[in-house]
Amino acid sequence: MKYLISTTTLFLVCILAQGQTVTISGYIQDHDTGENLIGATVYSLNDQLGTTTNYYGYFSLTLPAGTKE
């Protein structure tokens, strides 16, 4: 049984490593008021990928692993 669990875990780790992406997410708020910023743009210059915040100021952006900007 331990062998099956170890093999399954290793298999799942290999599958996840192949995707090699990183997801960055969070909330964007106004510095002074703390108000959530709706429609703010989050953009990666290197990958030319971006997204905007939703009604709650939340964003989620998936980038290739190794991206620095």
Side-chain angles (χ1 to χ4, degrees), residues 1-10:
M1 186 67 173
K2 287 183 182 181
Y3 177 74
L4 178 61
I5 293 172
S6 296
T7 304
T8 304
T9 303
L10 180 61

Side-chain angles (χ1 to χ4, degrees), residues 6-69:
S6 296
T7 304
T8 304
T9 303
L10 180 61
F11 179 73
L12 291 174
V13 169
C14 290
I15 289 174
L16 293 174
Q18 282 182 344
Q20 306 232 349
T21 60
V22 175
T23 300
I24 300 170
S25 60
Y27 292 88
I28 299 182
Q29 298 177 331
D30 182 273
H31 181 269
D32 296 329
T33 65
E35 181 180 0
N36 294 333
L37 296 179
I38 302 167
T41 302
V42 179
Y43 188 74
S44 168
L45 295 174
N46 286 344
D47 301 306
Q48 297 183 347
L49 296 171
T51 190
T52 57
T53 57
N54 66 10
Y55 180 77
Y56 303 102
Y58 178 81
F59 73 94
S60 179
L61 180 61
T62 301
L63 300 170
T67 299
K68 294 186 173 54
E69 283 187 44

